[in-house]
Amino acid sequence: MVLMRPAMSLRGEVCVVTGAGGFLGKRLVRLLLEEEQTAEIRLLDKQIQPQLLESLEDCRGDTKLSIFEGDIRDSEFLRKSCRGASIVFHIASIIDVKDAVEYSEIYGVNVKGTQLLLEACIQENVASFIYTSTIEVMGPNSRGDPLINGSEDTVYECALKFAYSKTKKEAEWRTLQAHGEVLQNGGRLTTCALRPMYIYGEGCRFLLGHMGEGIRNNNVLFRMSRPEALVNPVYVGNVAVAHLQAARGLKDPQRRSAIGGKFYFVCDDTPPVSYSDFNHMVMSPLGFSIQEKLMYPLWLLYAVCFLMEMLCMMVRPFKRVVPPLNRQLVTMLNTPFSFSYQKAKRDLGYEPRYTWAEARKRTTEWLASELPMERERIRGN
């Protein structure tokens, strides 16, 4: 039996959280305030809503909260944000599964922004850098080869199609390559990357979108994935816990070398289920049902997507049109693709804090609170 050392404290540290105004960022900031007596947390984002600071007053304590609004592609802004800091949680990125964003834009934020932030850490002597990656850097591949209960050692042949997947993969690689870089003060930068599964919970815009589609379809959720295409989503609160555990591990001199330069899959005890059936699991208490079968046979979906992609490519010199669905997204929704968190448990001491029952309850209650406004918004349109 492996006995974990007591977790190091982040007491007195100055932390930077990029994407602090987003879904996961807000949850991590609150967790840091509730569990660690950090000296300062710097909330870095393109824009921070004033309501965020107000919502954190109940757990703020003596920690200083500082707002840094700016562009992650601005090197001077990043140096200013990192000056005097000791830990960076890099969560900010453009998430795009429909290839709706121009490649130059998504590359600039996801890859160049990460590189500039790493350079700022080296110049400003930031010791620890934790990168929020994604399961999509792993696949699935365009053939839809299944992967069941994969680990960090799993070999999976994959040629990534989405610009999002490609840029996150490169940014993760640059992060791990930067491990051990010499800081200006002679110290060494320590990095690691976390690869969460599909993240759900309070504030998940994808769930809101699916709920809106269900409302328009007379409270029947669309089925876009086969029931047997099992994946294992992860609750946002557990992902935040994994980030905290990674930061504690990187601070520990006896564990830093084992963790540094590595990536970890992050999931929890949410039962394996297809994406569409997951939507139904959290929305069925709200009166939603789900289509029994796919809207169309898979072969027909692929054929229609192919035609739409060809048409969009033909008109692209004149106008950028994004199809509502593409072949790679259909593949992702219909490929069994699940992973284990055992390495994160062993190396980081990560344990899911929220059970599936609690995570589901919290998510459904949040969706219930949003339901009246969503119905009103749809009626207004």
Side-chain angles (χ1 to χ4, degrees):
M1 182 175 66
V2 178
L3 297 177
M4 292 297 301
R5 286 166 45 83
M8 295 287 289
S9 168
L10 304 185
R11 182 184 180 90
E13 303 286 348
V14 175
C15 303
V16 176
V17 180
T18 76
F23 174 40
L24 173 59
K26 289 188 286 189
R27 193 61 178 254
L28 176 59
V29 170
R30 172 168 282 276
L31 181 65
L32 289 169
L33 290 172
E34 290 175 343
E35 299 211 358
E36 296 288 348
Q37 295 180 321
T38 54
E40 180 183 2
I41 300 176
R42 297 176 182 174
L43 284 65
L44 188 155
D45 214 323
K46 192 172 183 179
Q47 186 177 18
I48 299 287
Q49 297 297 326
Q51 299 92 317
L52 176 56
L53 288 181
E54 296 172 11
S55 70
L56 296 171
E57 280 300 322
D58 64 317
C59 59
R60 181 171 178 171
D62 296 327
T63 300
K64 179 182 178 182
L65 290 177
S66 304
I67 301 295
F68 286 79
E69 294 181 329
D71 193 327
I72 200 164
R73 294 164 292 189
D74 182 342
S75 58
E76 287 304 313
F77 165 68
L78 294 179
R79 286 198 63 172
K80 179 182 177 183
S81 304
C82 291
R83 194 160 296 144
S86 49
I87 302 170
V88 165
F89 297 93
H90 182 29
I91 299 173
S93 69
I94 294 177
I95 301 175
D96 176 29
V97 294
K98 292 188 176 180
D99 277 347
V101 182
E102 290 284 357
Y103 187 79
S104 59
E105 178 76 7
I106 196 168
Y107 185 89
V109 171
N110 291 0
V111 179
K112 183 180 178 183
T114 299
Q115 183 62 44
L116 291 175
L117 186 58
L118 286 165
E119 292 171 3
C121 288
I122 292 169
Q123 293 160 349
E124 299 299 334
N125 302 310
V126 177
S128 300
F129 187 102
I130 297 157
Y131 179 68
T132 307
S133 187
T134 169
I135 184 58
E136 289 184 45
V137 304
M138 190 79 174
N141 58 31
S142 57
R143 296 191 303 274
D145 292 331
L147 203 167
I148 310 298
N149 202 35
S151 73
E152 288 76 0
D153 297 322
T154 299
V155 177
Y156 183 80
E157 184 183 343
C158 183
L160 300 173
K161 297 293 184 182
F162 287 137
Y164 171 64
S165 306
K166 293 177 182 177
T167 55
K168 291 292 286 186
K169 178 71 172 179
E170 182 173 345
E172 179 192 274
W173 179 82
R174 292 187 182 216
T175 296
L176 299 182
Q177 287 296 304
H179 173 67
E181 288 284 342
V182 179
L183 307 177
Q184 287 292 312
N185 63 5
R188 297 274 180 176
L189 177 66
T190 307
T191 70
C192 75
L194 303 180
R195 293 182 178 177
M197 310 299 111
Y198 166 68
I199 307 175
Y200 70 91
E202 307 94 306
C204 176
R205 61 185 174 93
F206 295 110
L207 283 175
L208 269 185
H210 294 308
M211 186 168 72
E213 292 169 357
I215 293 171
R216 293 186 186 92
N217 195 38
N218 297 317
N219 296 332
V220 179
L221 299 172
F222 291 108
R223 177 172 290 284
M224 297 302 297
S225 51
R226 300 173 298 159
E228 60 267 29
L230 303 182
V231 295
N232 52 337
V234 59
Y235 179 61
V236 63
N238 289 327
V239 180
V241 168
H243 281 71
L244 177 56
Q245 287 299 110
R248 289 168 171 168
L250 290 183
K251 187 182 176 185
D252 187 338
Q254 297 189 31
R255 296 170 60 201
R256 185 182 299 134
S257 59
I259 299 170
K262 295 182 175 61
F263 66 85
Y264 295 90
F265 291 117
V266 179
C267 46
D268 55 22
D269 299 321
T270 301
V273 64
S274 78
Y275 284 108
S276 293
D277 287 303
F278 176 79
N279 295 336
H280 185 228
M281 288 172 76
V282 296
M283 295 185 207
S284 58
L286 307 180
F288 288 89
S289 59
I290 187 172
Q291 295 172 336
E292 288 187 15
K293 298 180 180 180
L294 287 173
M295 294 177 64
Y296 305 102
L298 269 181
W299 68 265
L300 183 56
L301 273 176
Y302 281 116
V304 171
C305 287
F306 175 75
L307 291 174
M308 288 193 297
E309 290 170 31
M310 292 302 102
L311 287 172
C312 291
M313 188 178 300
M314 289 170 62
V315 302
R316 182 154 295 185
F318 313 101
K319 184 178 180 180
R320 182 178 177 85
V321 179
V322 179
L325 197 62
N326 57 59
R327 287 171 294 169
Q328 184 59 25
L329 183 54
V330 172
T331 299
M332 185 181 79
L333 294 174
N334 287 281
T335 300
F337 215 63
S338 60
F339 292 82
S340 164
Y341 63 81
Q342 290 307 305
K343 185 175 181 182
K345 178 179 181 179
R346 183 178 68 248
D347 290 5
L348 306 180
Y350 164 70
E351 288 276 7
R353 180 170 301 178
Y354 300 90
T355 64
W356 159 237
E358 186 173 4
R360 180 182 182 180
K361 180 175 182 290
R362 286 168 173 256
T363 303
T364 300
E365 288 176 349
W366 168 72
L367 287 168
S369 71
E370 296 288 330
L371 185 56
M373 291 180 287
E374 192 67 14
R375 290 194 188 279
E376 187 63 32
R377 184 185 68 81
I378 289 171
R379 275 198 297 266
N381 291 336

